[in-house]
Amino acid sequence: MRYLMFISIFIFNSFFSFSQCKEETRDDLYTDLLYVGCLGGDQGLPNGKGKLVSKDDNDKIFYDGNFKEGKFDGEGTLFLSDGSKLWGSFEDNELIQGNYYSEKDGKIQKYEGGFKGDQFNYQGNGKLTLID
């Protein structure tokens, strides 16, 4: 019984020590952005939960979400310079499925559905709403 209990505690502790990371900061990966979050691999690239913030204004977030080998991968939110934002599932730096929201000149544009490419082109089934 003690042996079984020891094994259970070991597995539990091992799982949580490998699945969590120490938050680190790198300022040499991007020109105007600072990375704060999990790092991994031999090159110390963003890997896991993290965010990119402006070097000039740490409160201005560019991306908040998951990374894999330095690229957006998994759930995340991308904040664009014009005030619009994209959020959903990223894969290899591309938004695959998610949402887009923009408010310009009193007009609102919302999209929910599939995306393709790094230019965030609407692709597949989706719903586009335009409000004047």
Side-chain angles (χ1 to χ4, degrees), residues 64-118:
D64 187 3
N66 291 307
F67 290 81
K68 182 177 179 183
E69 298 173 3
K71 297 179 180 180
F72 306 154
D73 200 277
E75 295 299 309
T77 303
L78 185 61
F79 300 88
L80 304 178
S81 60
D82 65 0
S84 59
K85 71 177 185 174
L86 296 143
W87 68 97
S89 297
F90 288 83
E91 189 175 290
D92 198 28
N93 264 359
E94 294 183 10
L95 182 63
I96 304 300
Q97 184 75 27
N99 301 276
Y100 170 79
Y101 180 87
S102 174
E103 197 171 326
K104 295 179 193 169
D105 302 323
K107 297 178 182 180
I108 297 173
Q109 181 178 3
K110 297 190 284 187
Y111 174 77
E112 180 179 349
F115 289 83
K116 182 173 182 159
D118 60 2

Side-chain angles (χ1 to χ4, degrees), residues 39-53:
L39 297 173
D42 295 337
Q43 298 175 347
L45 295 175
N47 209 36
K49 181 77 174 133
K51 61 185 168 182
L52 293 172
V53 297

Side-chain angles (χ1 to χ4, degrees), residues 10-22 38 47:
F10 175 77
I11 291 171
F12 181 78
N13 286 338
S14 296
F15 173 77
F16 281 103
S17 66
F18 289 118
S19 64
Q20 296 178 351
C21 72
K22 179 181 147 195
C38 299
N47 209 36

